Amino acid sequence: MKAAIVTKAGQLPVYGDFAEPVATDNAQRIVVKAAALSHLVKNRASGNHYSASGQYPFIAGIDGVGIQDDGQRVYFIKPVAPYGSMAEQTLVPAAQCIALADDLDDITAAAIANPGMSSWAALTERAQLQIGETVLINGATGISGKLAVQIARYLGAKKIIATGRNPAVLEQLMLLGADVVIPLTQEEEALNAQFGEQFAQGVDVVIDYLWGKSAGHLLTSAAKMAEDGKPVRFVQVGSMSGNEITLSSAILRSKAIALMGSGLGSVSDRGLLRTLKGLLKAAVPAGFQLATNPVTLSRVAEVWEADDSAARTVFTV
């Protein structure tokens, strides 16, 4: 069968032939229809992600949409190694498949799962968002961040604050549900003043896609301005601005700040499936907006390194 094959760390996947999977008592064969390209998929393929196995060769892709042998159309996640989602067929345990409603198309289901899961899991499984709370999304101008704004509103956030570097997209976020937008491009003094103002008014949950300097400023502002005794749940999801920050221990002692991560490993497999079921069920009735760029799998090497911050690339098989 044809597949996007990773032969060793640091090399792009190549479109080639790979042995077909054989169903077992613990995993079923799925004929793949669509699989999305995400930062997680890229990092795992390169060997740089903490969840990468380091075993080669393997087929790229961690999730997708396909058809089971009984004809059921499903979203699936975490195929059995060395199989991945970017192939004509894959092998997946039945418990890691979710039946899809007819009104949710293959492209949208494949595209929305990973970026939507990041905020849905952070808000429900980790932060345990309550209806009426205030959410600040740091780095909301990418695909995941734009979905996070919509998802936070759907899950009951009363006020949503969004940060980012792209002024045009920040304006769009107001139409997607953000109440306040804060540009990260301004001088530090002005930025800290805006952060401080929001924490003084009350921020319950921070979803952070960036880490780096802006995360440090947010934590400092929370320590200085948040209401005494009222917890701020800071959920770290991505590291687009860097993997490390300098954090004074006094910040975590001076205010009730709960600092946690959300991702593969920090959310259980059961939690991930619960998250995905909720997201996929809500996608159509909630009207979540997501730009997609469908391309055939044979073009995998051509588009692998393209920037997907504006539209999610989805390989069709």
Side-chain angles (χ1 to χ4, degrees), residues 170-192:
L170 284 174
E171 289 187 15
Q172 295 174 15
L173 292 176
M174 299 292 286
L175 300 175
L176 292 175
D179 300 289
V180 177
V181 294
I182 299 176
L184 297 176
T185 52
Q186 57 190 311
E187 296 294 330
E188 285 191 6
E189 183 176 352
L191 181 62
N192 286 330

Side-chain angles (χ1 to χ4, degrees), residues 12 21 23 41 63 67 91 101 115 118 144 148-149 162 170 185 189 205 292 295 317:
L12 298 181
V41 169
D63 65 342
I67 308 295
L91 195 64
S118 68
S144 296
V149 170
L170 284 174
T185 52
E189 183 176 352
V205 177
T292 60
V295 298
V317 185

Side-chain angles (χ1 to χ4, degrees), residues 84-98:
S85 59
M86 296 179 180
E88 293 177 329
Q89 300 175 28
T90 192
L91 195 64
V92 185
Q96 291 162 205
C97 298
I98 300 170

Side-chain angles (χ1 to χ4, degrees), residues 5 12 14 38-39 41 50 69-70 73 75 85 105 124 127-128 146 161 192 236 245 248 256 269 311:
I5 306 165
L12 298 181
V14 295
S38 64
H39 291 297
V41 169
Y50 63 83
D69 284 341
D70 62 2
R73 190 172 67 102
Y75 166 83
S85 59
D105 65 275
T124 61
Q128 298 184 357
K146 284 186 281 190
I161 306 151
N192 286 330
Q236 213 297 301
I245 64 171
S248 168
D269 285 352

Side-chain angles (χ1 to χ4, degrees), residues 5 22 29 35 45 57 61-62 75 91-92 130 135 156 159 165 177 198 204-205 208 220 271 284-285 291 294 300:
I5 306 165
V22 177
R29 185 180 68 98
I62 63 165
Y75 166 83
L91 195 64
V92 185
Q130 302 299 305
V135 176
K159 178 181 178 182
R165 303 185 65 85
Q198 294 304 319
D204 300 291
V205 177
D208 172 49
T220 300
V284 173
V300 60

